[in-house]
Amino acid sequence: MSINPQELRYSKEHEWLSSAEDGISTVGITSHAADALGDVVFVQLPEVGDTVSAGESCGELESTKSVSDLYSPVDGEVTEVNEDVVTDPSLVNSAPFEGGWLFRVRVTGEPEDLLSADEYTAFSGN
Amino acid sequence: MTTAPAAPRRTALDAVHRALGATMTDFAGWDMPLRYGSERDEHNAVRGTAGLFDLSHMGEITVTGPQAGEALDFALVGHLSALAVGRARYTMICTADGGILDDLIVYRLGEAEFMIVANASNAQVVLDAVTDRAKDFDAEVRDDRDGYALIAVQGPQSPAILKSLTDADLDGLKYYAGLPGTVAGVPALIARTGYTGEDGFELFVSPADAEALWQALTEAGQPYGLVPCGLSCRDTLRLEAGMPLYGHELTTALTPFDAGLGRVVKFDKPGDFIGRQALEQAAVQAEATPPRKLVGLVAEGRRVPRAGYPVTVEGGRVIGEVTSGAPSPTLGKPIAIAYVDAPHAAPGTPGVSVDIRGSHEPYQVVALPFYKRQR
């Protein structure tokens, strides 16, 4: 059984995207990505009101061993960021699909290559 | 023409790591455990209780014969022939022009037997250099990389854990000493050494015995809070303890004097040694014009400095470079080791920043180490 929730969609940069409610979707990184990073110690998120573009860097995730860009899976405008994860970056590791969400975005455009849960599981290997 | 990269080597404990669900990483051609779970938890276990490491990638070289000590005096910068049997020494091997080829621990196992432990990444270079340098001595150099697995138990509970598995006189075993013994029925060279800043032991055993010893240590350590630990926390542990890592703080472009470790060069030993002339000049030069100094940096913010990031002062002028950096679990802040120009090396020097991908983050200059255990 997959650890990747069926109701989400996924980018090949290992972000997840929730279905839009009132045009707004939530974005986070997958459990696979969090495991690959190791303990996340610092999260830099976009700011509310920022315009983000699919596949472009909009923040950073630092772990013990490395720093990685955070990519937006869609085009849109940031409506909310998760201040809890800024205060406690370990939420990305402990609850990547829940309390470790990163930001919410009013979606204006979607790339065609977002993956379903099953496709992402096959792509990432778990 | 292209050549396929060689398949990574696996240690005798490979199946154990996989069964534990370790995240593996390629390290100097070896497939090694990076971490088993949270690297921060592993780090804190070594500081607070104990951790168990597979270090079988380290390169063992045995030197035997009537002139083994003299051969090492010639090949290395230390005075190894003066080392007492059963003791160990931190030393270096340098090129003829004084550059550091590797940093080493040498154990004297007998009157005419020494074991060199080299970094995995340099093991072949060290083996070749020592073999070449020993050729005019009555000494034999043997590649023992396949002869040993190396398991380390590190942390304040490590003596109690090991005592439950051996009759060896651990209380009489000083820091940087080693004695042959039996641990959990397995013949082992028991050394009181490590790379974590904690009390601890390194056990050199036959690869055939590695798995049995690992399991025995795991069981004996369980009531003491022993956890398996990967190379990721080994790096943050040594960084907090201010210990250099080859390829970061030490390179062939630097002499031991450049690295602030001139004390390992023993000019007063008898006979010549490789690098003597260049190192004598380096010592004089270091005295006259102080080179860049290795310092500690502690973050005021939360962004983590990485190797290669520039150290700057006001106006963005570069005064040094980070060689190692990581979030410190013990301090709860990012820390770094950096080479900086001597005028900016004093603890408390104001206005020092690290250029973290274009953003100049304020850092405090401190003396190394960041962490020293209470004895």
Side-chain angles (χ1 to χ4, degrees):
Chain A
M1 206 186 89
S2 168
I3 51 168
N4 301 305
Q6 285 294 330
E7 65 275 19
L8 304 178
R9 286 181 300 153
Y10 300 84
S11 74
K12 288 184 177 173
E13 283 88 25
H14 307 284
E15 277 81 29
W16 57 260
L17 179 79
S18 72
S19 338
E21 283 178 41
D22 299 330
I24 293 173
S25 287
T26 305
V27 173
I29 68 164
T30 65
S31 174
H32 170 85
D35 284 351
L37 286 172
D39 292 328
V40 176
V41 296
F42 175 74
V43 176
Q44 187 186 39
L45 299 175
E47 290 180 15
V48 172
D50 280 1
T51 301
V52 293
S53 303
E56 286 187 13
S57 173
C58 63
E60 283 179 356
L61 296 163
E62 291 222 36
S63 64
T64 299
K65 295 304 274 184
S66 66
V67 56
S68 306
D69 280 316
L70 168 66
Y71 298 97
S72 175
V74 289
D75 301 335
E77 185 190 326
V78 176
T79 60
E80 189 181 350
V81 297
N82 185 357
E83 295 295 345
D84 290 347
V85 89
V86 173
T87 310
D88 180 10
S90 72
L91 285 170
V92 174
N93 297 104
S94 59
F97 295 114
E98 290 156 4
W101 66 276
L102 298 176
F103 61 93
R104 296 204 163 100
V105 58
R106 184 178 302 282
V107 180
T108 57
E110 269 187 21
E112 289 173 359
D113 59 354
L114 290 178
L115 306 175
S116 70
D118 291 343
E119 287 166 340
Y120 178 73
T121 301
F123 171 75
S124 66
N126 62 11
Chain B
M1 198 182 96
T2 57
T3 49
R9 299 183 64 182
R10 294 180 171 188
T11 77
L13 293 164
D14 189 70
V16 174
H17 303 320
R18 282 164 209 283
L20 287 167
T23 300
M24 305 297 284
T25 189
D26 182 272
F27 186 84
W30 289 81
D31 202 23
M32 299 298 294
L34 182 64
R35 55 187 144 81
Y36 298 85
S38 157
E39 57 240 301
R40 184 173 39 218
D41 292 349
E42 292 170 19
H43 180 112
N44 290 335
V46 174
R47 289 276 179 260
T49 53
L52 185 62
F53 295 84
D54 178 9
L55 305 177
S56 300
H57 60 308
M58 300 296 285
E60 297 85 2
I61 298 160
T62 305
V63 183
T64 55
Q67 287 191 306
E70 287 78 1
L72 291 178
D73 285 348
F74 177 69
L76 314 180
V77 300
H79 189 184
L80 288 313
S81 64
L83 191 61
V85 172
R87 299 306 304 266
R89 189 75 82 229
Y90 177 76
T91 186
M92 292 184 184
I93 181 167
C94 288
T95 62
D97 60 10
I100 303 165
L101 275 179
D102 200 9
D103 64 334
L104 312 165
I105 294 177
V106 176
Y107 299 85
R108 188 165 203 168
L109 304 181
E111 204 50 51
E113 183 177 2
F114 295 80
M115 180 172 72
I116 301 170
V117 180
N119 283 297
S121 53
N122 293 326
Q124 190 63 48
V125 168
V126 174
L127 176 68
D128 292 346
V130 172
T131 303
D132 182 57
R133 294 173 187 191
K135 65 180 186 296
D136 293 333
F137 292 86
D138 187 1
E140 191 202 339
V141 179
R142 188 171 74 228
D143 178 2
D144 259 343
R145 280 177 288 183
D146 294 336
Y148 292 105
L150 175 55
I151 296 174
V153 191
Q154 300 279 305
Q157 294 293 350
S158 55
I161 294 165
L162 207 54
K163 264 180 207 169
S164 71
L165 294 174
T166 184
D167 295 332
D169 177 20
L170 298 184
D171 291 331
L173 187 66
K174 294 177 182 156
Y175 189 52
Y176 266 76
L179 65 91
T182 303
V183 181
V186 167
L189 170 66
I190 307 168
R192 200 159 201 158
T193 43
Y195 192 51
T196 60
E198 297 299 333
D199 192 6
F201 301 87
E202 295 184 309
L203 307 170
F204 296 85
V205 300
S206 162
D209 292 330
E211 202 168 321
L213 179 58
W214 178 279
Q215 300 300 5
L217 286 163
T218 299
E219 279 166 38
Q222 208 244 335
Y224 296 94
L226 176 92
V227 299
C229 291
L231 294 185
S232 181
C233 80
R234 183 168 150 90
D235 191 43
T236 50
L237 288 160
R238 71 92 194 164
L239 179 57
E240 285 184 350
M243 295 171 167
L245 173 61
Y246 196 88
H248 289 253
E249 287 73 37
L250 311 176
T251 71
T252 47
L254 298 170
T255 71
F257 296 93
D258 294 326
L261 290 165
R263 61 181 168 79
V264 305
V265 183
K266 305 298 182 193
F267 290 122
D268 54 357
K269 64 179 170 179
D272 197 13
F273 66 94
I274 302 283
R276 179 191 276 276
Q277 205 182 345
L279 288 168
E280 279 170 350
Q281 285 169 8
V284 171
Q285 202 188 333
E287 200 67 37
T289 10
R292 280 188 165 182
K293 283 206 168 81
L294 264 187
V295 300
L297 297 173
V298 177
E300 291 171 24
R302 292 170 67 184
R303 305 184 83 193
V304 183
R306 309 285 177 183
Y309 287 8
V311 181
T312 61
V313 287
E314 241 162 278
R317 188 164 63 85
V318 175
I319 54 137
E321 185 177 304
V322 171
T323 50
S324 298
S328 161
T330 304
L331 277 67
K333 300 169 180 178
I335 57 171
I337 300 180
Y339 277 108
V340 301
D341 293 340
H344 301 278
T349 301
V352 173
S353 299
V354 177
D355 180 348
I356 298 185
R357 300 180 296 284
S359 156
H360 292 258
E361 302 280 330
Y363 268 75
Q364 194 188 351
V365 178
V366 301
L368 293 170
F370 299 97
Y371 168 84
K372 203 164 186 187
R373 76 183 160 103
Q374 308 293 316
R375 285 168 201 254

